[in-house]
Amino acid sequence: MRGVYEALNRGDLAAVLEKIDPDFEWWQRDDAPENDVIRGPEGFKAEWESIVDVLVEFRQEPKEFIDAGDYVVVPVMQVGRGRASGASIEQHEVHVFRLRNGMWVELREYQDKDEPAKLWA
């Protein structure tokens, strides 16, 4: 997981896509503007490209990696600047991954660690 975040932060999307299962689903936060479910490696690629299209110097800095059985919980700090506005962003988010055979099959986003706790309780 650590290597995947490092790949994203250096812009190596190909390395990330190698870890995404064909049946992958990315569930965005409930408060996300579009609140979509992104599917498959192609969906991940399109969504990630749309993010870095509007944000420059975008980074996701993992704070810890928590083994929760079938899940890996990763609190992150997201930082960047708006490409058009130049405004800085800084937000905390929690990523919950479900893995199968070392591949990502699911990513769910949350505002804090308490929200997803029901997944592994």
Side-chain angles (χ1 to χ4, degrees), residues 19-64:
K19 292 294 189 182
I20 297 178
D21 188 87
D23 295 327
F24 171 78
E25 292 183 338
W26 175 358
W27 295 74
Q28 295 181 323
R29 286 172 38 172
D30 289 340
D31 65 339
E34 295 177 9
N35 194 14
D36 292 330
V37 177
I38 292 99
R39 299 182 194 290
E42 300 79 19
F44 182 94
K45 181 178 187 283
E47 183 66 16
W48 187 258
E49 288 173 344
S50 74
I51 291 169
V52 297
D53 224 21
V54 297
L55 296 172
V56 293
E57 300 171 11
F58 182 64
R59 298 185 49 78
Q60 298 194 82
E61 301 170 357
K63 299 302 176 192
E64 63 182 317

Side-chain angles (χ1 to χ4, degrees), residues 3-110:
V4 175
Y5 279 95
E6 290 169 358
L8 280 174
N9 288 336
R10 71 173 176 268
D12 187 358
L13 189 54
V16 176
L17 294 174
E18 291 176 1
K19 292 294 189 182
I20 297 178
D21 188 87
D23 295 327
F24 171 78
E25 292 183 338
W26 175 358
W27 295 74
Q28 295 181 323
R29 286 172 38 172
D30 289 340
D31 65 339
E34 295 177 9
N35 194 14
D36 292 330
V37 177
I38 292 99
R39 299 182 194 290
E42 300 79 19
F44 182 94
K45 181 178 187 283
E47 183 66 16
W48 187 258
E49 288 173 344
S50 74
I51 291 169
V52 297
D53 224 21
V54 297
L55 296 172
V56 293
E57 300 171 11
F58 182 64
R59 298 185 49 78
Q60 298 194 82
E61 301 170 357
K63 299 302 176 192
E64 63 182 317
F65 296 88
I66 303 165
D67 181 348
D70 292 338
Y71 299 92
V72 177
V73 180
V74 186
V76 298
M77 169 66 82
Q78 297 174 322
V79 296
R81 280 185 305 106
R83 186 174 302 279
S85 69
S88 294
I89 67 141
E90 183 175 299
Q91 74 175 5
H92 295 274
E93 191 168 86
V94 175
H95 297 161
V96 177
F97 294 90
R98 189 165 53 93
L99 306 175
R100 181 175 54 225
N101 299 324
M103 302 287 284
W104 295 2
V105 293
E106 186 177 293
L107 164 59
R108 292 186 181 250
E109 298 176 348
Y110 298 92

